């Protein structure tokens, strides 16, 4: 083989869900595929998703799933049409992994073990003929005459009785490359954002990166309620004093502010607004099922019944215990103060607190704890029909490295699976079209 002859048809960088699907699909179509992963194991992040249970996809209709995706849901239509929730479930079933559907149409492995999904995808990719190289960190892309030609790889070779040592970088050539290096969040899993650097170095635009699906820091912090999780509450987002969005669901009080599903779902817009220097506030409606008039009527009834006693028990009938003291403080009362004091202005103030407990948002969690990365390789530089780069020939993108992210619910993994499948398919076809006449075609 001459140095210029490509050893591989398709080289996939990153063995996360996107890379595994890309590699497997390309190999399924006959391409010789090498998958390079810098960690000691494939799909480390996938193994911790969904609190170790992996919410792998969502059974809602395609158009409904698209609504959960930012910034450009339409970009994903072809990818979703080519490989979607049922295709994934079938692929896993064929590997012996049964799935189940839970509240909110979210799909999980029946075993509740994300590891089962990761191991099944690795086994499936290998069964298609993919060769996987671990401890192989790609350091840069090789681009020749405007087209992908290979990568520079640093291998971490285990040496007997010694710490692992770093071998000098090596060049691996291939007809096509797929960049599936993931985002920047949870860097301990291997997703350290290398792909953004490679994309930028080869002329692609990268939209600003921001942690998303992340806890928020607030003023005040309700220390006395720390650890409390409220279900079925309504959270409203205010940006520069204007109502911007609302989420119904779970809110958790933390040491520095708020977390929980409803908070995570609003976090994308919050982080963006904070980055733009805007004022961000959240209001929490603790009684969303009661409009203010009904809530006031209930309060008046309670006051009539228990007005002779202290206000603590009366508030306790409206609030979880950790919030009683918080509310007393806010109202300038003690739990032992007579409930009769909850009249007039104080009653109005209590009603206002119950319907709109206000928090200023002062910050958010960092990359170590964000579930996904918002921003990434610009959609303007990628063809949605193939996931091909518009800047570098024979180069494709898949997964979180692309400027696409979604709400909780299994959509982020489905983005990785669908874009991986499409990129793998496109790269295999492109590689096949490049085989000189007379040589066997992949
Ligand atoms: C705690 C947590 C829970 C989550 N839960 C869910 C959930 O339940 N449902 C859901 O839909 N989404 C969930 N997500 C999001 C989801 O895990 C990601 O969106 C998804 O893993 C992205 O897949 P990917 O293949 O693009 O990237 P990744 O999974 O990040 O994989 C990228 C791979 O590339 C490798 N790599 C990076 N750079 C290099 C390099 N230079 N050379 C070689 N290899 C490299 C990395 O080591 C990694 O293995 C969760 C995320 C987190 C952090």
């Amino acid at each position: 083989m001459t140095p210029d002859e490509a050893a591989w048809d398709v080289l996939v960088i990153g063995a996360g869900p996107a890379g595994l699907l890309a590699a497997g699909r390309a190999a399924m179509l006959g391409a010789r595929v090498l998958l390079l992963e810098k960690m000691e194991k494939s799909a480390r992040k996938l193994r911790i998703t969904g609190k170790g249970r992996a919410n792998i996809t969502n059974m809602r209709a395609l158009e409904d799933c698209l609504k959960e995706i930012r910034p450009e849901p339409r970009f994903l239509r072809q990818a979703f049409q080519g490989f979607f929730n049922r295709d994934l479930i079938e692929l896993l079933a064929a590997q012996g992994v049964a799935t189940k559907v839970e509240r909110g149409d979210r799909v999980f492995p029946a075993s509740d073990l994300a590891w089962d999904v990761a191991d099944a995808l690795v086994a499936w990719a290998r069964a298609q003929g993919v060769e996987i190289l671990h401890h192989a960190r790609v350091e840069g892309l090789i681009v020749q005459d405007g087209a992908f030609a290979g990568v520079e790889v640093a291998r971490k070779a285990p040496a007997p009785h010694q710490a692992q040592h770093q071998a000098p970088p090596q060049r691996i050539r291939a007809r096509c490359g797929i960049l599936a290096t993931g985002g920047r969040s949870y860097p301990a899993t291997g997703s350290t954002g290398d792909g953004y650097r490679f994309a930028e170095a080869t002329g692609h635009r990268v939209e600003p990166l921001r942690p998303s699906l992340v806890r928020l820091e607030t003023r005040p912090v309700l220390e006395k309620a720390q650890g409390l999780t409220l279900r079925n509450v309504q959270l409203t987002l205010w940006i520069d004093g204007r109502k911007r969005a609302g989420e119904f669901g779970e809110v958790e009080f933390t040491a520095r502010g708020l977390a929980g599903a409803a908070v995570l779902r609003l976090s994308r817009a919050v982080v963006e607004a904070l980055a733009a220097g805007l004022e961000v506030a959240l209001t929490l409606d603790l009684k969303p099922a009661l409009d203010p008039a009904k809530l006031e009527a209930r309060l008046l009834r309670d006051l009539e019944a228990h007005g002779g006693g202290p206000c603590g028990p009366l508030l306790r009938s409206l609030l979880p215990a950790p919030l009683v003291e918080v509310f007393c403080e806010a109202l300038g009362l003690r739990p032992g103060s007579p409930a009769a004091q909850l009249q007039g202005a104080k009653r109005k103030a209590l009603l206002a607190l119950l319907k709109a407990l206000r928090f200023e948002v002062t910050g958010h969690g960092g990359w170590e704890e964000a579930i996904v990365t918002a921003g990434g390789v610009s959609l303007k530089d990628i063809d949605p029909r193939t996931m091909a780069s518009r800047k570098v020939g024979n180069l494709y993108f898949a997964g979180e490295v692309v400027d696409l992210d979604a709400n909780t619910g299994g959509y982020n993994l489905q983005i990785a699976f669908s874009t991986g499948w499409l990129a793998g398919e496109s790269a295999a076809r492109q590689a096949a079209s490049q085989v000189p006449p007379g040589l066997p075609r992949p």
Side-chain angles (χ1 to χ4, degrees), residues 14 17-18 37-38 49-50 55 138 182 186 190-191 194 371 399-400 410 412-413:
E37 168 56 52
K38 72 175 171 186
T49 55
N55 174 198
V138 170
Y186 270 69
S191 320
D194 299 3
I371 305 276
E400 203 175 314
N412 282 297
L413 281 173

Side-chain angles (χ1 to χ4, degrees), residues 54-59 89 99-102 105-109:
N55 174 198
I56 49 173
T57 185
N58 195 290
M59 288 316 289
I89 289 167
T99 48
K100 60 179 173 180
V101 182
E102 291 192 3
D105 298 318
R106 295 169 307 152
V107 182
F108 293 86

